[in-house]
Structure formats: C-alpha cells, structure tokens
Amino acid sequence: MATKRAQMMEETRAKLIRAARKAFAAKGYAAASMDELTAEAGLTRGALYHNFGGKQGLLQAVVDQIDREMVERMLAAQDQAANRWDGLLEEGVAYIEMALEPEVQRIMLLDGPAVLGDPSQWPNQNACLLRTTQTLQALIDEGTVKPVDAEAAARLINGAALNAALWIAAADDPRAVLPKAVEAFRQLAAGLLRAER
Amino acid sequence: MATKRAQMMEETRAKLIRAARKAFAAKGYAAASMDELTAEAGLTRGALYHNFGGKQGLLQAVVDQIDREMVERMLAAQDQAANRWDGLLEEGVAYIEMALEPEVQRIMLLDGPAVLGDPSQWPNQNACLLRTTQTLQALIDEGTVKPVDAEAAARLINGAALNAALWIAAADDPRAVLPKAVEAFRQLAAGLLRAER
DNA sequence: CGCATTGACATACGATGCGTATGTGGCCCA
DNA sequence: TGGGCCACATACGCATCGTATGTCAATGCG
C-alpha cells in the first residue's frame, strides 16, 4: 500500500486543483489570488509552491486534468457513432458542447494558451487534438477523406469547433445558436470528404 | 486646424501605443511593465492612465489599431481575387499569414481574448470577422455557397484559419507546414460550396 | 521502542507592479 | 497679460507573487 505521507500528498494536490479549477474558472487566471485559493482548500501558499512550483504549475496541473476529461468524453461520443466519419463529427460536436462549460472555456481556451503558450506545446501533448488527428488519419487511410495532411485538418476542425463554442457561449441565447453552429460545422467538415455522398 | 494641445495628445497616444505593441508582443500582456513601457515612450504612467484609463485600456487601443490594419490587408487580398469565392479563400489565407506575425499572434490571438474577453464582444465589434460574414452572405445570396448561417460559417472559417496560424507559428519549420495548412483550409472551405465544382 | 532525520507544509520577508490621489508647468482665452 | 484648465509627472498605498526560513509529524534505523 502507498505510504501515509504519499496519501496525504495526493489529497493535498487534489484539494488544491479542485479549488484552482473553481477560482480560475470564476475569476480568470490573473485575477485569482493564490492566498484565497489555498485558504479555500484549507491550506496556505506553502503547499502550493511545494507541490506545483508556483501559480503556473498549478494551472498546468489543472489543464492536464481537464484535458484528460475531455479526451474521455470525446471517446465516449465517438464510440456511439455508426461509423468512423460520424464519429469524427460527434467528436467535434462533443468538443463544441464541452466548450460551453465556463471551466473549459475560461481555462482551456482563454487563459491556458495565454499563460502556457500554444496548446500543441503543452507537456500533455494535447491529447484532445491528438485523438482527432488519429481519427482523421484512419479516415484518410480507408479512403473516406481526401488525402490531406491529417494534423493540419485536425487543427482546422478543432479550431472551427472551438470558435463555434466561443461564439455560442458569448451569445445572448446560446440554445438558439447551437444548432446553427453544429449545422455549419457539419457542412464545413463535409469539405474533407472524398466524394459526394 | 486642430489645436496644438490636441496634436500633442495624439502624438502621446501614438507613442504609447507604439511602445505597447512592442512590449506586449515581446513579453506578453501580463509580463509587460507599465513603468518600462511608458519610459520607453519617454513618458510616465501618468500619461497612460490619463489617456487610456489603465493597462487594459491601452491593450484595447492596441487591439483596435491592429484590427483595423488586419481588415485593410484582408480587403487588399480579396480585391485581387478573380471572383468572390476566391476572394473569401484569399481572405482566409491572408488571415493565416497575418497570424504568423508575433505581434498579431500574441496580442490578438492569445492575450487579447484572455484579457478583454471574447473578441466578438469587443467594442470595435471585430471588424475582421464582420467582413468575412458579409462576404459569405453575398456568396450565399448569389448561390455559390450553401444556405447556411453566414455568421456561423464565418466564425468557423475564421477559427480554422486561426488555429492553422497558431500551428504554423509554433512549428519547428513554419515555412514547411504553411502550404499544408493552406491546402487543408481550401479543402475544408470547399464544404460550404453548393455543388461539386 | 526511541531518537535522529527527512520532508510536507506554514510563516515571515522582500520585491515588484498596479491604481489613485495629489502636485505642477505650460497652453488657451478673456 | 494673467488666471484657469488640462495634460502629464510625482508620490503613496495596497495587493500579490516568489523565496527563505521555521516547525511539526511521519519514517526508518539502531
């Protein structure tokens, strides 16, 4: 079994990450105070610097955690699609829907890139994007999709979905624009298909 | 003629904006010191707070200025295209190329949204995006493009181009991936066309 | 089983940087 | 030409981050 100290350590990290997700999502990275954040978790800044090295390190940990959750949900969305192409579309739609959550939007789409730099450079290697790339490559191999560069296409698809989500989230009536965005997304993605269907 | 004081005022604003563009692009918004910034312009923070209200106000002014320049270049790109559809593509390509400049990338794509919020909410009303929407609407009206929501499509297109640019800029060899991104962009955009060409 | 050591976290300190309140010198108009 | 006003400089307080130091409990060894 894991030693008692290691258990406490993990619990501490979890508490900090939990508080950080809430604070970063609510106030944004810059405006979030480390003192308040750690106090909320029943700790002090000492624990923070010991476990994560600093404010950026904590953000990094939060980003990694959310990224893992996003991949999980994208996998689930893809699994319940009839074929691989629909799976790709469902991935995109799932991505759009996830980006509606303030936590994802603020942390992953706004502050994350601004503080940590381009997502593709993140240590976690942007698992989310990697998944889309792999799916696309498979579609190209099986002849469903035109022979374009898989990574390039994946990035464009992701970018399109991302902006769709940002748009929806900022709209007066998100529920109203969501179908419009999804429809436009499907049309756009169809451009990658090899032949008319 | 404009009074002398007004002239000096404009000159001061211009000097501050110039210094801000350099500092924000080089260090990022958060790391840019207002003291250094204003000193670089031969002024102090007093001038800053008088003219722009604060750090955010200065960023806003910088963003507006760059946004105007981007629209100008997109117009130029569109004008030298054979038809309206190619004009749209050229706009996209121009957008991608502009996003390769560190200034645009850092200020407009990373720090801008993070600090000022979603671009579509900016006072300047995101002239850049507005242009694409208008072009798309015209293409829909003339029957070239499928009858999708113009704004939705414009946002997706822009988002795709944006991410393409971010990818290119972060790549080890930007010159090598640029053509791949442009090609994928063209393929993707083709999904909006009404019929096969 | 008890003590020295390690390490997780708290506390204390210094530095930096933003925003605001107050001061001042030069331009405009009577 | 002199007083008011305005653009900008100076001075201050406050918040926050990072680091250096302290402390107490868990661990492992004799």
Side-chain angles (χ1 to χ4, degrees):
Chain A
M1 103 177 199
T3 167
K4 191 171 180 182
R5 292 184 72 115
Q7 279 181 28
M8 293 302 294
M9 194 96 182
E10 270 315 302
E11 178 58 25
T12 297
R13 291 172 61 92
K15 279 196 287 191
L16 284 174
I17 291 179
R18 217 175 307 143
R21 283 180 70 146
K22 218 169 74 173
F24 287 160
K27 306 182 173 187
Y29 175 79
S33 164
M34 294 294 101
D35 278 324
E36 289 182 20
L37 212 171
T38 51
E40 168 93 16
L43 297 162
T44 68
R45 287 209 332 264
L48 210 178
Y49 284 91
H50 190 76
N51 282 286
F52 298 101
K55 197 176 185 180
Q56 276 202 28
L58 182 57
L59 177 62
Q60 182 79 249
V62 167
V63 161
D64 287 348
Q65 190 183 77
I66 297 180
D67 195 30
R68 279 194 296 274
E69 294 173 8
M70 289 177 75
V71 170
E72 209 169 321
R73 289 178 58 173
M74 284 171 71
L75 276 171
Q78 191 196 22
D79 280 352
Q80 65 184 32
N83 55 55
R84 203 173 260 151
W85 171 253
D86 285 343
L88 182 72
L89 291 179
E90 288 311 312
E91 266 187 43
V93 174
Y95 189 80
I96 293 177
E97 286 170 353
M98 283 188 285
L100 288 181
E101 297 164 24
E103 216 177 37
V104 171
Q105 202 179 333
R106 181 84 229 188
I107 300 175
M108 301 299 283
L109 311 183
L110 288 179
D111 290 334
V115 176
L116 305 174
D118 186 76
S120 64
Q121 310 282 355
W122 293 354
N124 199 25
Q125 197 62 15
N126 210 349
C128 198
L129 177 63
L130 203 60
R131 270 215 44 69
T132 306
T133 304
Q134 289 166 349
T135 304
L136 257 172
Q137 188 60 57
L139 283 163
I140 293 171
D141 291 342
E142 77 181 26
T144 306
V145 163
K146 292 176 189 166
V148 295
D149 186 86
E151 187 180 0
R155 281 184 169 275
L156 298 191
I157 289 279
N158 253 333
L162 189 159
N163 266 45
L166 284 179
W167 175 44
I168 295 168
D172 295 329
D173 185 6
R175 299 293 151 200
V177 297
L178 192 146
K180 284 197 272 188
V182 171
E183 174 61 19
F185 176 73
R186 291 180 186 278
Q187 300 286 1
L188 200 64
L192 293 177
L193 283 173
R194 178 180 273 269
E196 68 288 346
R197 29 178 23 188
Chain B
M1 100 177 201
T3 167
K4 191 171 180 182
R5 291 182 74 114
Q7 279 181 30
M8 292 302 293
M9 193 96 181
E10 269 315 301
E11 178 58 24
T12 296
R13 291 173 61 93
K15 278 195 287 191
L16 285 174
I17 291 180
R18 216 176 306 143
R21 285 180 69 147
K22 218 168 74 174
F24 288 160
K27 306 182 172 185
Y29 175 79
S33 163
M34 293 293 101
D35 278 324
E36 289 182 20
L37 212 169
T38 50
E40 168 93 16
L43 296 161
T44 69
R45 290 211 331 266
L48 208 178
Y49 283 90
H50 190 74
N51 282 285
F52 299 101
K55 198 177 185 180
Q56 276 203 26
L58 182 57
L59 176 62
Q60 183 78 62
V62 167
V63 161
D64 287 349
Q65 188 182 80
I66 298 180
D67 194 31
R68 279 194 296 274
E69 294 173 8
M70 290 177 75
V71 170
E72 207 169 322
R73 288 177 60 173
M74 285 172 70
L75 276 171
Q78 191 196 24
D79 280 352
Q80 66 184 31
N83 55 55
R84 201 172 261 153
W85 173 251
D86 285 343
L88 183 71
L89 292 179
E90 289 310 314
E91 265 187 44
V93 174
Y95 189 80
I96 293 177
E97 286 171 353
M98 282 188 286
L100 288 181
E101 298 164 24
E103 216 177 37
V104 171
Q105 203 180 335
R106 182 84 230 188
I107 299 176
M108 301 297 284
L109 310 183
L110 289 179
D111 289 334
V115 176
L116 305 175
D118 186 77
S120 63
Q121 310 283 356
W122 295 353
N124 198 24
Q125 198 60 16
N126 211 347
C128 197
L129 177 63
L130 203 60
R131 269 215 43 70
T132 307
T133 304
Q134 289 166 350
T135 303
L136 257 173
Q137 189 59 57
L139 283 162
I140 293 170
D141 290 342
E142 76 180 26
T144 308
V145 163
K146 291 176 190 166
V148 296
D149 187 85
E151 187 180 1
R155 282 184 168 274
L156 299 190
I157 289 278
N158 254 335
L162 190 159
N163 266 43
L166 284 179
W167 175 45
I168 296 169
D172 295 329
D173 184 5
R175 299 294 151 201
V177 298
L178 193 145
K180 285 196 270 189
V182 170
E183 175 60 17
F185 176 74
R186 290 180 185 280
Q187 300 287 1
L188 200 65
L192 294 177
L193 283 172
R194 179 178 272 269
E196 68 286 345
R197 23 180 27 188

